[in-house]
């Protein structure tokens, strides 16, 4: 497979939008069972075009209008915004103040750059399979909390195409949440607090909240392999120093000579012991020995500071905030922003996600005989649609579109179930 070259993007995008982009599923998603037509029509899309030209307030009446416009503009990137009171493309014609964002999915944006102080393998926009575990942990913790603690059912998790993940909570109740409620959900889910100047970013109080206990169980599952093994957080003098700095509150304050000795011993032990698990056990033993009367959760706080999800809360709070659309291309990496099938989360590898050059190349592969048979005849209705289905199935995009289909089927099932329940209720009267 050829490597992606950003310079080839203008040539590849027309092919992608003409033959591969899953417009019908995409429309099925944002139309939400077509309760009111305006729900799709009043939705804002924004496009990033060549040379970072940014066009906001795009909106479309139908799937076919959306298709035609995207195929004409060939956007480098597509963002999705809110459902407004009026059609976004007519916002200039509406009396000022009356054009308002009414609804949007509750969204979460987790970006690897927010973990730079706790990962040693890469920094900034770089990711590798080692630090990707942080995203796996984030998805496990948030997905559980949003389902079990908040009762949401329709969560679409999407790889951003570069260094993070997005979550779209699509339940009708989530889409209607006002700003204050979105902030409250974020507050509930935020544990790591403080900026660059804050050394200790996680402070637990007694008793530990059940949500934190559940989150800790997830972190504990990955901690030893990920943090002690792959990141080797107690492996070097510098990295061990950063961990020990988090214990200052608990141990260093009011220290006596004896403790000073123990501290030095611990550092010497770290240097002599090659087994990362044993180093962690020794640290825990010392913490437990020094446990203060008010109770200390020092080791749990370390684990959470190194592994707990870090949310970009501004993205989640605003109803009118835009977020990169699923199936949009990441212009820098060329990777498609694809839905993640949570049943295979531990095997999800961002480097396996196809680039636009990869799937366009797969299209050039000669048709197999059984594929020839499916070749749509001229004049057949919805030729474009059928052709697109056959086309994407021949590429490595197929399994990600299948994951999207499953998500959409789940939403439709629960919508039909809801309608059935309502009609049963009416029949009872
Ligand atoms: Zn890394």
């Amino acid at each position: 497979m050829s490597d992606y070259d950003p310079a080839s993007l203008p040539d590849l995008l027309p092919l992608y939008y003409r033959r591969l982009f899953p417009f019908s599923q995409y429309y099925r998603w944002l139309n939400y069972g077509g309760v009111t037509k305006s729900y799709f029509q009043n939705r804002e899309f924004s496009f990033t075009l060549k040379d970072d030209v940014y066009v906001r307030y795009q909106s479309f009446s139908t799937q076919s209008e959306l298709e035609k416009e995207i195929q004409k503009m060939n956007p480098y990137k597509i963002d999705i915004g809110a459902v407004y009171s009026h059609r976004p493309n007519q916002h200039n014609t509406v009396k000022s103040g009356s054009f308002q964002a009414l609804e949007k999915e509750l969204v979460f944006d987790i970006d690897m750059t927010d973990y730079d102080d706790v990962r040693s393998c890469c920094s900034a926009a770089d990711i590798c399979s080692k630090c990707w575990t942080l995203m796996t942990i984030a998805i496990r913790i948030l997905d559980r909390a949003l389902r079990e603690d908040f009762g949401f059912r329709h969560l679409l998790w999407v790889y951003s195409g570069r260094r993070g993940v997005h979550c779209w909570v699509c339940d009708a109740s989530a889409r209607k949440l006002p700003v204050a409620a979105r902030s409250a959900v974020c507050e509930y889910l935020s544990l790591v607090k403080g900026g660059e100047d804050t050394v200790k970013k996680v402070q637990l109080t007694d008793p530990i909240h059940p949500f934190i206990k559940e989150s800790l169980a997830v972190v504990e599952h990955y901690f030893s392999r990920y943090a002690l093994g792959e990141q080797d957080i107690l492996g070097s003098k510098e990295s061990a120093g950063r961990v020990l700095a988090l214990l200052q509150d608990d141990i260093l304050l009011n220290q006596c000579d004896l403790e000073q000795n123990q501290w030095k011993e611990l550092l010497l032990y770290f240097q002599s012991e090659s087994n990362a698990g044993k180093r962690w056990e020794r640290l825990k033993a010392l913490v437990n020995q020094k446990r203060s009367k008010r109770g200390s959760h020092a080791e749990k706080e370390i684990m959470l500071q190194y592994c707990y999800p870090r949310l970009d809360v501004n993205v989640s709070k605003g109803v009118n905030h835009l977020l990169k659309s699923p199936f949009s291309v990441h212009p820098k990496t060329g990777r498609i922003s694809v839905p993640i099938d949570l049943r295979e989360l531990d095997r999800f590898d961002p480097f396996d996600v196809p680039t636009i050059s990869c799937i366009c190349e797969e299209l050039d592969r000669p048709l197999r005989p059984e594929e020839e048979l499916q070749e749509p005849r001229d004049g057949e209705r919805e030729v474009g649609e059928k052709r697109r289905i056959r086309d994407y199935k021949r590429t490595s995009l197929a399994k990600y579109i299948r994951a999207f289909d499953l998500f959409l089927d789940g939403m439709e099932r629960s919508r039909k179930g809801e309608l059935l329940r309502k009609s049963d209720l009416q029949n009872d009267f």
Side-chain angles (χ1 to χ4, degrees):
M1 246 359 117
S2 66
D3 287 331
Y4 168 73
D5 171 12
S8 64
L9 195 57
D11 295 329
L12 298 172
L13 286 169
L15 192 61
Y16 177 63
Y17 289 128
R18 195 160 44 82
R19 294 182 59 187
L20 293 167
F21 190 92
F23 283 107
S24 66
Q25 285 96 336
Y26 195 72
Y27 180 76
R28 188 181 166 205
W29 169 36
L30 294 173
N31 202 38
Y32 286 108
V35 187
T36 58
K37 258 196 177 153
S38 61
Y39 207 82
F40 179 79
Q41 293 174 346
N42 290 0
R43 170 79 72 164
E44 179 190 1
F45 296 86
S46 82
F47 296 154
T48 308
L49 309 176
K50 199 171 181 298
D51 301 323
D52 284 329
V53 174
Y54 192 53
V55 210
R56 276 200 72 174
Y57 299 120
Q58 305 291 296
S59 63
F60 310 97
S61 306
T62 58
Q63 181 189 330
S64 128
E65 201 182 305
L66 167 85
E67 274 186 55
K68 281 185 189 133
E69 200 57 23
I70 287 185
Q71 288 166 353
K72 193 177 94 194
M73 313 264 279
N74 291 306
Y76 280 40
K77 179 165 160 271
I78 302 172
D79 287 282
I80 299 178
V83 176
Y84 282 83
S85 52
H86 304 76
R87 293 192 189 195
N89 61 1
Q90 295 167 4
H91 76 282
N92 282 331
T93 66
V94 180
K95 206 168 69 190
S96 78
S98 65
F99 180 69
Q100 278 174 346
L102 301 180
E103 292 195 11
K104 206 192 65 191
E105 292 76 11
L106 171 63
V107 294
F108 296 95
D109 179 11
I110 306 144
D111 193 311
M112 198 76 90
T113 47
D114 290 326
Y115 292 84
D116 276 359
D117 60 324
V118 288
R119 58 181 184 142
S120 53
C121 48
C122 338
S123 66
D126 292 330
I127 61 161
C128 69
S129 55
K130 283 183 190 171
C131 48
W132 188 257
T133 304
L134 288 167
M135 293 297 136
T136 307
I137 295 172
I139 295 175
R140 290 244 182 269
I141 288 178
L142 298 175
D143 192 76
R144 189 215 62 79
L146 290 165
R147 288 177 197 277
E148 294 177 17
D149 302 353
F150 289 97
F152 296 128
R153 294 167 65 191
H154 304 295
L155 278 62
L156 180 66
W157 285 95
V158 180
Y159 170 51
S160 75
R162 192 178 201 184
R163 59 191 180 202
V165 293
H166 301 153
C167 177
W168 298 77
V169 186
C170 298
D171 300 59
S173 58
R175 302 195 312 258
K176 291 184 204 312
L177 287 178
V179 173
R182 287 169 204 251
S183 303
V185 175
C186 290
E187 185 57 33
Y188 178 91
L189 295 172
S190 297
L191 264 192
V192 180
K193 294 180 177 172
E196 273 173 33
D197 300 333
T198 316
V199 174
K200 185 154 178 163
K201 294 176 179 164
V202 179
Q203 306 274 1
L204 298 179
T205 50
D206 268 325
I208 294 182
H209 190 281
F211 159 67
I212 299 175
K213 279 190 187 160
E214 293 281 354
S215 305
L216 265 166
V218 175
V219 171
E220 276 160 5
H221 177 80
Y222 293 94
F223 189 76
S224 160
R225 180 181 60 80
Y226 162 73
L228 301 178
E230 291 168 356
Q231 296 288 340
D232 204 6
I233 61 170
L234 299 176
S236 74
K237 222 175 166 180
E238 295 76 42
S239 61
R242 281 197 293 276
V243 175
L244 295 182
L246 303 179
L247 297 173
Q248 283 193 323
D249 251 5
D250 301 85
I251 296 177
L252 273 189
L253 289 180
N254 309 317
Q255 62 179 275
C256 57
D257 291 344
L258 178 72
E259 284 169 326
Q260 188 99 53
N261 284 337
Q262 287 177 318
W263 194 252
K264 281 183 189 151
E265 265 174 39
L266 185 65
L267 282 169
L268 282 173
Y269 178 79
F270 283 172
Q271 280 161 30
S272 64
E273 176 54 65
S274 60
N275 183 308
K278 283 188 180 166
R279 292 195 293 253
W280 178 249
E281 287 308 317
R282 178 66 72 97
L283 176 115
K284 270 173 31 180
L286 187 65
V287 170
N288 287 327
Q289 197 189 335
K290 297 291 160 201
R291 203 178 280 273
S292 63
K293 279 180 205 138
R294 66 175 171 83
S296 161
H297 301 295
E299 75 195 59
K300 295 187 177 73
E301 287 163 346
I302 294 172
M303 294 170 89
L304 291 170
Q305 177 148 348
Y306 274 80
C307 298
Y308 186 85
R310 300 173 174 211
L311 302 173
D312 185 343
V313 292
N314 290 323
V315 176
S316 306
K317 284 179 183 172
V319 178
N320 57 359
H321 209 291
L322 293 145
L323 187 65
K324 184 172 184 236
S325 166
F327 296 102
S328 179
V329 182
H330 196 294
K332 294 253 163 52
T333 61
R335 291 190 201 285
I336 312 292
S337 187
V338 290
I340 300 172
D341 183 348
L342 289 210
R343 294 170 309 179
E344 294 182 18
L345 178 60
D346 284 322
R347 286 188 299 278
F348 181 88
D349 178 353
F351 297 102
D352 270 352
V353 172
T355 60
I356 185 169
S357 44
C358 157
I359 52 179
C360 287
E361 209 167 284
E362 285 167 342
L363 272 183
D364 281 342
R365 185 176 55 80
L367 286 180
R368 291 195 302 266
E370 66 270 26
E371 291 170 334
E372 300 262 17
L373 285 174
Q374 296 167 19
E375 185 79 21
R377 290 187 304 273
D378 281 346
E380 199 172 343
R381 272 183 67 210
E382 297 163 357
V383 166
E385 190 67 46
K386 285 208 174 110
R387 176 173 194 133
R388 210 153 35 229
I389 290 170
R390 193 211 56 199
D391 279 345
Y392 81 67
K393 284 190 172 165
R394 294 167 56 211
T395 72
S396 33
L397 196 60
K399 72 169 180 178
Y400 302 102
I401 296 184
R402 207 156 46 235
F404 194 35
D405 278 327
L406 283 175
F407 165 77
L408 295 171
D409 290 345
M411 275 209 303
E412 185 162 331
R413 262 200 310 280
S414 81
R415 188 176 61 87
K416 284 188 176 153
E418 194 61 40
L419 289 175
L420 213 61
R421 255 194 310 281
K422 277 182 188 157
S423 77
D424 280 355
L425 272 176
Q426 277 171 352
N427 291 341
D428 285 347
F429 284 108

